Amino acid sequence: AQKVTQAQTEISVVEKEDVTLDCVYETRDTTYYLFWYKQPPSGELVFLIRRNSFDEQNEISGRYSWNFQKSTSSFNFTITASQVVDSAVYFCALSEADGGTSYGKLTFGQGTILTVHP
Amino acid sequence: DADVTQTPRNRITKTGKRIMLECSQTKGHDRMYWYRQDPGLGLRLIYYSFDVKDINKGEISDGYSVSRQAQAKFSLSLESAIPNQTALYFCATSDAFMARGGDEQFFGPGTRLTVL
């Protein structure tokens, strides 16, 4: 069975600090996808990134960057120069893709509450 | 207009009552999902449907049932609500266009359900 662990329940930083959110996953599949979603205080879920298991290149999008390491089964998310608007709950999720009827289902981590203080 | 809508947005009900949460989408996606969110537990899958004739149980289906009335509509029912079903419920859709398993899921705004 697949599992996603976000060990950091809550993180509090001051604006302009860099912050890294950790995500560790478990899966028996060789083909899978990893996701990050953001849930701001308004409650909706916002898709941030998707990465497949064959692409270990790091990704940067503005102040956001992601570090995918298969060797440690981790897919960590870094926010550089954090801002108050980054305050949200962040979820890491895993989707298996090795066939059968289970592919496409998301398994979420517990979420990390990020608070950025002015 | 939102692509994925959920009704109601908030609901308070009593133990033992039957309640239905509805989800509609205009994205034309075949796949639809129901999740519940509890503090500290993330989102957990209740049921999912890959097309109108295909419905599958998720991780926590006990106490819930679903109906896929059309490609665009997927309803979640609590036959006899109990307090530990108090949670935030999300509907989501995805398109099988992407490589299998890689579909981005698009979420509705959520329904906050309280069972007293």
Side-chain angles (χ1 to χ4, degrees):
Chain A
Q2 54 189 12
K3 183 179 179 181
V4 177
T5 302
Q6 296 177 253
Q8 303 152 308
T9 304
E10 293 190 51
I11 300 175
S12 181
V13 299
V14 176
E15 210 169 18
K16 298 184 182 179
E17 285 186 36
D18 298 346
V19 57
T20 295
L21 309 181
D22 297 333
C23 173
V24 174
Y25 62 91
E26 298 175 26
T27 179
R28 295 179 185 175
D29 286 3
T30 56
T31 305
Y32 51 89
Y33 289 81
L34 295 162
F35 300 78
W36 276 93
Y37 281 85
K38 173 182 179 180
Q39 185 178 41
S42 52
E44 74 273 22
L45 284 154
V46 179
F47 167 81
L48 294 178
I49 191 172
R50 166 185 47 231
R51 172 67 75 219
N52 75 52
S53 52
F54 297 108
D55 183 1
E56 288 193 72
Q57 280 193 332
N58 290 334
E59 174 120 359
I60 298 175
S61 177
R63 297 184 296 107
Y64 295 172
S65 62
W66 290 269
N67 183 304
F68 175 31
Q69 292 194 338
K70 288 180 74 171
S71 60
T72 56
S73 297
S74 65
F75 186 43
N76 296 336
F77 173 31
T78 297
I79 302 174
T80 302
S82 61
Q83 299 176 2
V84 172
V85 293
D86 296 326
S87 297
V89 183
Y90 290 87
F91 291 100
C92 180
L94 167 69
S95 174
E96 293 175 334
D98 271 353
T101 58
S102 66
Y103 69 84
K105 299 188 310 178
L106 287 177
T107 297
F108 284 83
Q110 304 91 323
T112 297
I113 301 171
L114 174 65
T115 303
V116 182
H117 299 280
Chain B
D1 289 340
D3 295 320
V4 184
T5 58
Q6 293 183 233
T7 56
R9 294 293 311 279
N10 288 281
R11 180 71 181 268
I12 300 174
T13 191
K14 295 182 179 180
T15 297
K17 293 291 187 182
R18 184 180 189 275
I19 184 168
M20 179 182 288
L21 309 183
E22 298 186 338
C23 176
S24 294
Q25 53 113 347
T26 58
K27 299 189 75 66
H29 290 168
D30 285 327
R31 300 179 182 178
M32 298 187 74
Y33 311 81
W34 275 105
Y35 294 90
R36 65 175 279 177
Q37 181 181 359
D38 299 278
L41 296 178
L43 279 78
R44 294 179 291 166
L45 184 63
I46 306 172
Y47 270 95
Y48 61 104
S49 170
F50 282 173
D51 65 44
V52 175
K53 297 180 180 179
D54 175 77
I55 292 179
N56 303 279
K57 293 182 178 180
E59 180 186 351
I60 52 165
S61 59
D62 287 349
Y64 301 95
S65 62
V66 291
S67 173
R68 185 80 184 267
Q69 301 96 321
Q71 186 205 37
K73 296 184 181 297
F74 193 35
S75 300
L76 176 72
S77 294
L78 286 68
E79 298 300 327
S80 180
I82 56 177
N84 77 0
Q85 291 178 313
T86 293
L88 182 58
Y89 290 83
F90 285 100
C91 173
T93 73
S94 70
D95 189 353
F97 176 78
M98 272 289 297
R100 299 191 321 176
D103 313 321
E104 173 191 346
Q105 290 190 16
F106 297 84
F107 287 81
T111 294
R112 188 166 296 280
L113 176 66
T114 302
V115 183
L116 302 176

XYZ file of all heavy atoms in Angstrom, chain A residues 9 31-33 35 37 39 42-45 47 50 89 91 95-111, chain B residues 9 31 33 35 37-38 40-45 48 50 56-58 88 90 94 98-109:
520
model
N 4.028 19.010 11.269
C 2.611 19.333 11.400
C 2.400 20.834 11.196
O 1.477 21.252 10.492
C 2.106 18.922 12.781
O 2.365 17.539 12.968
C 0.632 19.194 12.922
N 6.322 3.040 -11.338
C 5.782 4.222 -12.014
C 4.768 4.883 -11.103
O 3.799 4.245 -10.686
C 5.117 3.839 -13.341
O 6.037 3.127 -14.164
C 4.640 5.090 -14.071
N 4.997 6.127 -10.804
C 4.070 6.845 -9.921
C 4.239 8.342 -10.156
O 5.162 8.788 -10.834
C 4.305 6.489 -8.447
C 5.741 6.617 -7.983
C 6.224 7.826 -7.479
C 6.605 5.533 -8.052
C 7.528 7.937 -7.063
C 7.921 5.641 -7.637
C 8.378 6.843 -7.139
O 9.679 6.947 -6.724
N 3.298 9.088 -9.588
C 3.332 10.544 -9.701
C 3.242 11.153 -8.310
O 2.551 10.628 -7.431
C 2.153 11.054 -10.546
C 2.283 10.735 -12.019
C 1.933 9.477 -12.508
C 2.758 11.684 -12.914
C 2.057 9.179 -13.847
C 2.881 11.397 -14.265
C 2.527 10.143 -14.724
O 2.650 9.852 -16.049
N 2.573 14.869 -6.184
C 1.902 16.162 -6.317
C 2.109 16.984 -5.045
O 2.288 16.442 -3.960
C 0.387 15.969 -6.490
C -0.037 15.165 -7.686
C 0.048 13.779 -7.678
C -0.548 15.791 -8.806
C -0.357 13.029 -8.773
C -0.956 15.052 -9.908
C -0.862 13.674 -9.883
N -0.232 20.179 -3.297
C -1.407 21.041 -3.336
C -1.314 22.041 -2.193
O -0.787 21.740 -1.127
C -2.697 20.235 -3.162
C -3.177 19.518 -4.403
C -2.680 18.254 -4.730
C -4.131 20.087 -5.237
C -3.135 17.590 -5.866
C -4.583 19.427 -6.374
C -4.078 18.188 -6.674
O -4.523 17.530 -7.804
N -3.642 24.628 0.274
C -4.984 24.945 0.749
C -4.902 26.239 1.561
O -4.569 26.232 2.738
C -5.557 23.818 1.602
C -7.009 24.040 2.017
C -7.568 22.884 2.819
O -6.898 22.320 3.678
N -8.818 22.514 2.552
N -8.963 30.186 2.756
C -10.287 30.152 2.140
C -10.794 28.730 1.910
O -11.990 28.524 1.664
C -10.271 30.912 0.815
O -9.211 30.444 0.003
N -9.904 27.748 1.969
C -10.322 26.350 1.975
C -10.205 25.583 0.682
O -10.258 24.353 0.710
N -10.059 26.253 -0.436
C -9.986 25.484 -1.681
C -8.619 24.822 -1.821
O -7.656 25.194 -1.164
C -10.259 26.380 -2.898
C -9.124 27.328 -3.264
C -9.181 28.647 -2.523
O -9.825 28.698 -1.451
O -8.556 29.602 -3.019
N -8.540 23.831 -2.669
C -7.274 23.132 -2.917
C -6.720 23.584 -4.262
O -7.386 23.497 -5.295
C -7.491 21.629 -2.909
C -7.658 21.045 -1.514
C -8.461 19.764 -1.546
C -6.299 20.805 -0.873
N -3.699 23.201 -7.037
C -2.628 22.352 -7.564
C -1.365 23.191 -7.748
O -1.413 24.293 -8.294
C -3.090 21.777 -8.904
C -2.024 21.127 -9.735
C -1.623 19.835 -9.469
C -1.451 21.793 -10.790
C -0.659 19.215 -10.245
C -0.484 21.199 -11.581
C -0.094 19.901 -11.316
N 3.152 18.607 -10.365
C 3.106 17.164 -10.587
C 4.484 16.726 -11.075
O 5.099 17.391 -11.897
C 2.050 16.817 -11.632
C 2.117 15.409 -12.191
C 1.089 15.213 -13.305
N 1.117 16.322 -14.241
C 0.019 16.998 -14.620
N -1.162 16.652 -14.168
N 0.123 17.995 -15.472
N -2.197 25.508 4.285
C -1.863 24.108 4.534
C -1.369 23.537 3.211
O -1.995 23.746 2.168
C -3.072 23.300 5.032
C -2.650 21.866 5.355
C -3.701 23.964 6.248
N -0.222 20.135 1.086
C -0.355 18.680 1.039
C 0.526 18.105 -0.049
O 0.552 18.599 -1.190
C -1.801 18.273 0.737
C -2.770 18.570 1.836
C -3.580 19.692 1.784
C -2.868 17.725 2.936
C -4.490 19.964 2.790
C -3.769 17.987 3.953
C -4.570 19.115 3.886
N 0.270 9.238 -6.483
C -0.638 8.472 -7.320
C 0.147 7.364 -7.999
O 1.157 7.623 -8.644
C -1.272 9.389 -8.368
O -2.048 8.649 -9.280
N -0.328 6.140 -7.831
C 0.343 5.015 -8.478
C -0.119 4.908 -9.926
O -1.236 5.282 -10.253
C 0.057 3.724 -7.713
C 0.693 3.708 -6.339
C 0.318 2.483 -5.531
O -0.746 1.912 -5.775
O 1.108 2.107 -4.642
N 0.714 4.349 -10.781
C 0.390 4.318 -12.207
C 0.844 3.039 -12.872
O 1.120 3.021 -14.071
C 1.023 5.522 -12.903
N 0.906 1.958 -12.105
C 1.385 0.714 -12.693
C 0.284 -0.171 -13.237
O 0.466 -1.341 -13.449
C 2.225 -0.068 -11.655
C 3.672 0.324 -11.726
O 4.037 1.077 -12.642
O 4.454 -0.124 -10.872
N -0.884 0.409 -13.448
C -1.938 -0.363 -14.086
C -3.008 -0.796 -13.122
O -3.018 -0.430 -11.964
N -3.951 -1.550 -13.601
C -5.077 -1.984 -12.792
C -6.056 -0.847 -12.582
O -5.986 0.189 -13.237
N -6.932 -1.009 -11.660
C -7.966 0.006 -11.445
C -7.571 1.011 -10.381
O -8.313 1.920 -10.065
C -9.290 -0.647 -11.023
O -9.075 -1.398 -9.831
C -9.817 -1.558 -12.111
N -6.386 0.841 -9.804
C -6.032 1.748 -8.715
C -5.347 3.005 -9.198
O -5.225 3.966 -8.461
C -5.119 1.041 -7.714
O -3.873 0.736 -8.315
N -4.902 2.999 -10.446
C -4.136 4.159 -10.874
C -5.028 5.389 -10.931
O -6.207 5.322 -11.216
C -3.463 3.897 -12.208
C -4.386 3.795 -13.395
C -4.815 4.930 -14.070
C -4.807 2.562 -13.851
C -5.652 4.840 -15.162
C -5.644 2.461 -14.940
C -6.060 3.604 -15.601
O -6.886 3.496 -16.677
N -4.437 6.515 -10.651
C -5.172 7.767 -10.649
C -5.660 8.186 -9.278
O -5.965 9.349 -9.062
N -5.743 7.273 -8.326
C -6.189 7.665 -6.990
C -5.049 8.349 -6.260
O -3.901 7.931 -6.328
C -6.620 6.439 -6.185
C -7.765 5.676 -6.778
C -8.248 4.597 -5.834
C -7.136 3.734 -5.312
N -7.615 2.714 -4.361
N -5.378 9.384 -5.534
C -4.386 10.124 -4.765
C -4.378 9.678 -3.313
O -5.431 9.556 -2.692
C -4.668 11.618 -4.822
C -4.364 12.355 -6.132
C -4.789 13.810 -6.017
C -2.884 12.254 -6.464
N -3.174 9.456 -2.804
C -2.985 9.260 -1.373
C -2.289 10.507 -0.850
O -1.202 10.853 -1.319
C -2.126 8.016 -1.089
O -2.826 6.862 -1.565
C -1.857 7.876 0.395
N -2.927 11.171 0.107
C -2.411 12.432 0.634
C -1.622 12.223 1.915
O -1.916 11.322 2.711
C -3.566 13.392 0.944
C -4.172 14.041 -0.262
C -5.126 13.385 -1.013
C -3.786 15.312 -0.646
C -5.690 13.976 -2.135
C -4.347 15.918 -1.758
C -5.297 15.251 -2.507
N -0.662 13.109 2.121
C -0.038 13.209 3.431
C -0.955 13.975 4.372
O -2.022 14.453 3.994
N -0.507 14.087 5.607
C -1.336 14.692 6.650
C -1.426 16.211 6.521
O -2.298 16.838 7.125
C -0.770 14.352 8.043
C -0.627 12.868 8.315
C 0.738 12.326 7.923
O 1.337 12.732 6.910
N 1.238 11.395 8.716
N -0.550 16.780 5.738
C -0.543 18.225 5.567
C 0.379 18.933 6.541
O 0.583 18.481 7.673
N -22.763 24.081 0.762
C -21.418 24.444 1.192
C -21.240 24.195 2.683
O -20.151 23.895 3.153
C -21.132 25.910 0.873
C -21.078 26.222 -0.615
C -19.870 25.549 -1.293
N -18.645 25.771 -0.570
C -17.930 26.867 -0.664
N -18.293 27.846 -1.471
N -16.807 26.979 0.042
N -13.594 11.128 -14.708
C -13.299 10.628 -13.369
C -13.753 11.600 -12.303
O -13.483 12.800 -12.387
C -11.799 10.379 -13.235
C -11.276 9.364 -14.221
C -9.799 9.179 -14.055
N -9.275 8.233 -15.038
C -8.010 7.899 -15.157
N -7.122 8.411 -14.320
N -7.626 7.046 -16.074
N -14.297 11.956 -7.801
C -13.831 11.428 -6.518
C -14.530 12.162 -5.378
O -14.877 13.337 -5.501
C -12.320 11.663 -6.360
C -11.468 11.250 -7.533
C -11.341 12.073 -8.653
C -10.758 10.053 -7.517
C -10.546 11.713 -9.722
C -9.956 9.686 -8.588
C -9.857 10.519 -9.683
O -9.065 10.153 -10.750
N -13.620 12.905 -1.270
C -12.657 12.821 -0.183
C -13.262 13.482 1.057
O -14.110 14.355 0.960
C -11.385 13.612 -0.505
C -10.550 13.095 -1.645
C -10.779 13.530 -2.948
C -9.506 12.209 -1.414
C -9.988 13.077 -4.000
C -8.713 11.749 -2.457
C -8.965 12.188 -3.740
O -8.191 11.739 -4.778
N -11.759 15.493 4.613
C -10.576 16.064 5.252
C -10.838 16.216 6.735
O -11.828 16.825 7.152
C -10.227 17.435 4.653
C -8.989 18.056 5.277
C -8.663 19.411 4.701
O -9.338 19.912 3.807
N -7.598 20.016 5.173
N -9.948 15.665 7.523
C -9.982 15.800 8.968
C -8.657 16.390 9.415
O -7.596 16.047 8.860
C -10.180 14.442 9.645
C -11.497 13.787 9.251
O -12.506 14.156 9.849
O -11.505 12.938 8.340
N -5.192 16.971 10.763
C -4.114 16.046 11.092
C -4.112 14.749 10.309
O -3.195 13.941 10.451
N -5.139 14.560 9.473
C -5.221 13.307 8.699
C -5.142 13.541 7.207
O -5.142 12.589 6.428
C -6.518 12.565 9.028
C -6.671 12.067 10.454
C -8.025 11.397 10.633
C -5.550 11.092 10.809
N -5.118 14.752 6.768
C -5.096 15.022 5.339
C -6.426 14.682 4.696
O -7.472 14.666 5.358
N -6.397 14.388 3.428
C -7.593 13.996 2.700
C -7.573 12.496 2.497
O -6.541 11.921 2.130
C -7.649 14.684 1.330
C -8.167 16.116 1.305
C -7.089 17.081 1.768
C -8.640 16.488 -0.088
N -8.716 11.878 2.719
C -8.833 10.439 2.523
C -9.944 10.145 1.533
O -11.015 10.753 1.591
C -9.080 9.737 3.852
C -7.900 9.824 4.824
C -8.212 9.138 6.137
N -9.223 9.871 6.885
C -9.874 9.376 7.930
N -9.637 8.144 8.342
N -10.764 10.114 8.552
N -9.689 9.185 0.656
C -10.611 8.878 -0.423
C -11.765 8.025 0.075
O -11.561 6.985 0.710
C -9.847 8.135 -1.529
C -10.605 7.797 -2.797
C -11.071 9.069 -3.513
C -9.719 6.961 -3.715
N -14.662 6.585 -5.599
C -14.270 7.183 -6.856
C -14.964 6.476 -8.013
O -15.379 5.319 -7.896
C -12.747 7.159 -7.042
C -12.109 5.801 -7.075
C -11.693 5.241 -8.270
C -11.869 5.092 -5.895
C -11.074 3.995 -8.303
C -11.264 3.852 -5.915
C -10.866 3.303 -7.123
O -10.256 2.066 -7.141
N -14.671 6.131 -12.328
C -13.897 6.427 -13.534
C -14.781 6.657 -14.753
O -14.311 7.135 -15.778
C -12.872 5.340 -13.799
C -11.648 5.440 -12.925
C -10.690 4.446 -12.943
C -11.455 6.512 -12.068
C -9.556 4.534 -12.139
C -10.332 6.613 -11.255
C -9.375 5.606 -11.303
N -16.184 2.716 -7.383
C -15.279 1.924 -6.562
C -15.154 2.512 -5.163
O -15.190 3.727 -4.982
C -13.881 1.904 -7.194
C -13.902 1.380 -8.592
O -13.923 0.181 -8.824
N -13.923 2.288 -9.569
N -14.987 1.622 -4.190
C -14.770 2.066 -2.825
C -13.348 2.577 -2.667
O -12.399 2.048 -3.239
C -15.014 0.918 -1.857
C -16.454 0.455 -1.789
C -16.612 -0.654 -0.769
C -18.077 -1.070 -0.666
N -18.268 -2.156 0.335
N -13.229 3.585 -1.837
C -11.919 4.090 -1.501
C -11.481 3.572 -0.149
O -11.913 2.518 0.312
N -14.776 18.047 6.552
C -14.845 18.831 5.325
C -14.778 17.853 4.161
O -13.856 17.040 4.091
C -13.695 19.832 5.279
C -13.606 20.800 4.100
C -14.860 21.641 3.985
C -12.368 21.685 4.276
N -14.694 17.001 0.093
C -14.320 17.536 -1.207
C -14.682 16.562 -2.317
O -14.458 15.355 -2.206
C -12.808 17.780 -1.282
C -12.343 18.981 -0.543
C -11.769 18.860 0.715
C -12.465 20.247 -1.096
C -11.324 19.973 1.404
C -12.022 21.366 -0.415
C -11.465 21.224 0.838
N -10.980 14.466 -12.600
C -9.745 14.415 -13.381
C -10.045 13.839 -14.748
O -11.061 13.175 -14.964
C -8.657 13.599 -12.666
O -8.992 12.221 -12.650
N -4.178 12.590 -19.459
C -2.768 12.448 -19.089
C -2.391 10.977 -19.027
O -3.236 10.105 -19.000
C -2.552 13.071 -17.720
C -2.229 14.534 -17.748
S -0.576 14.840 -18.387
C 0.409 14.006 -17.147
N -1.122 10.730 -18.934
C -0.640 9.373 -18.694
C -1.293 8.830 -17.428
O -1.578 9.561 -16.507
C 0.873 9.399 -18.519
N -1.514 7.558 -17.430
C -2.260 6.953 -16.331
C -1.641 7.303 -14.980
O -0.449 7.140 -14.788
C -2.303 5.444 -16.510
C -2.985 5.045 -17.798
C -3.284 3.577 -17.880
N -2.246 2.740 -17.340
C -2.374 1.421 -17.266
N -3.470 0.835 -17.674
N -1.407 0.689 -16.780
N -2.459 7.746 -14.099
C -2.014 8.079 -12.752
C -1.497 9.493 -12.627
O -1.327 9.990 -11.535
N -1.256 10.158 -13.734
C -0.661 11.477 -13.640
C -1.651 12.612 -13.735
O -1.256 13.774 -13.814
N -2.936 12.269 -13.710
C -3.938 13.312 -13.893
C -3.966 14.268 -12.728
O -4.003 13.847 -11.574
C -5.332 12.696 -14.027
C -5.364 11.533 -14.995
O -4.690 11.630 -16.023
O -6.049 10.544 -14.700
N -3.975 15.556 -13.042
C -4.216 16.554 -12.001
C -5.680 16.458 -11.596
O -6.562 16.342 -12.448
C -3.929 17.945 -12.546
C -4.304 19.073 -11.608
C -4.250 20.428 -12.281
O -3.665 20.526 -13.380
O -4.801 21.385 -11.705
N -5.939 16.488 -10.328
C -7.318 16.485 -9.850
C -7.747 17.913 -9.544
O -7.009 18.680 -8.925
C -7.475 15.581 -8.632
C -7.328 14.111 -9.001
C -7.714 13.164 -7.895
O -8.368 13.545 -6.925
N -7.316 11.908 -8.033
N -8.942 18.252 -9.982
C -9.519 19.578 -9.775
C -10.583 19.454 -8.685
O -11.514 18.660 -8.807
C -10.137 20.109 -11.064
C -9.132 20.314 -12.161
C -8.752 19.262 -12.978
C -8.562 21.563 -12.369
C -7.820 19.437 -13.985
C -7.631 21.752 -13.376
C -7.264 20.692 -14.179
N -10.440 20.251 -7.662
C -11.285 20.104 -6.483
C -12.392 21.151 -6.445
O -12.206 22.301 -6.864
C -10.446 20.223 -5.212
C -9.590 19.014 -4.958
C -8.383 18.850 -5.602
C -10.017 18.017 -4.083
C -7.594 17.726 -5.390
C -9.243 16.891 -3.855
C -8.036 16.745 -4.515
N -13.532 20.731 -5.918
C -14.596 21.663 -5.615
C -14.259 22.473 -4.372
O -13.227 22.242 -3.741
N -15.123 23.395 -3.993
C -14.838 24.290 -2.867
C -15.001 23.628 -1.502
O -14.590 24.199 -0.493
C -15.860 25.410 -3.042
C -16.996 24.762 -3.760
C -16.375 23.748 -4.676
